Amino acid sequence: MYPEKIQKTLQRASSLIQAGKPGLALHDLEKSVRKFPGGFEAWFLLGHAKGLLGDHASAETCFKKAAVFQPKNPDVWFNLGLGYSARGMHLDALTCFEKSIAYSTQVRIEAY
C-alpha cells in the first residue's frame, strides 16, 4: 500500500494520462517510483505514460517491473505487447498478448 501522498500523486497522474496529457504526469510518476520502487501502480502508470509518448523501450522496462509485482495482470501484458508491436518485435508481442488473454477474466478482443 502506498503512503497517502503518493496515492494522491498517482491519482493525479492517472487523471492526466486519461485526459491525454501523459507528458505532464512523467515527473510525478518518476518521483513516485524513486520514492516507492516496490509498487505496481506507479510502474504501470509510468509505463503507460511513456508508451503513449512513443518511448516504448522505457515503457517496456516499466511494465516488466510492474509485472514483478502483479505477474498475472492482463493489462501489464497487453501494454507490454503493444510496445513490442510498435517496435516491430512481433513474436514477443504475440507472447504478451497470449498472456494477457490467459490472465484476463473477460474477453480481450483488442489482444486478439
Side-chain angles (χ1 to χ4, degrees):
M1 188 69 142
Y2 289 105
E4 185 177 343
K5 185 176 181 179
I6 292 181
Q7 285 180 348
K8 288 181 181 182
T9 299
L10 295 176
Q11 288 171 347
R12 183 175 55 246
S14 180
S15 294
L16 286 168
I17 292 169
Q18 289 175 7
K21 301 175 184 178
L24 296 178
L26 283 180
H27 176 73
D28 283 342
L29 291 169
E30 288 169 345
K31 196 161 101 176
S32 294
V33 297
R34 278 194 309 273
K35 286 185 176 184
F36 200 84
F40 167 81
E41 189 175 5
W43 285 114
F44 181 80
L45 288 173
L46 183 58
H48 191 55
K50 288 183 178 272
L52 290 171
L53 293 168
D55 186 358
H56 300 293
S58 293
E60 174 188 340
T61 299
C62 296
F63 288 129
K64 284 182 175 180
K65 289 186 183 211
V68 168
F69 303 107
Q70 291 188 21
K72 293 186 178 184
N73 184 299
D75 295 326
V76 169
W77 294 105
F78 179 75
N79 282 287
L80 190 53
L82 288 177
Y84 282 139
S85 181
R87 293 169 56 207
M89 301 167 69
H90 301 297
L91 290 177
D92 292 323
L94 180 61
T95 299
C96 291
F97 292 140
E98 288 171 343
K99 285 184 180 183
S100 178
I101 291 166
Y103 295 141
S104 184
T105 58
Q106 303 170 344
V107 175
R108 293 192 65 104
I109 299 291
E110 66 277 11
Y112 284 102

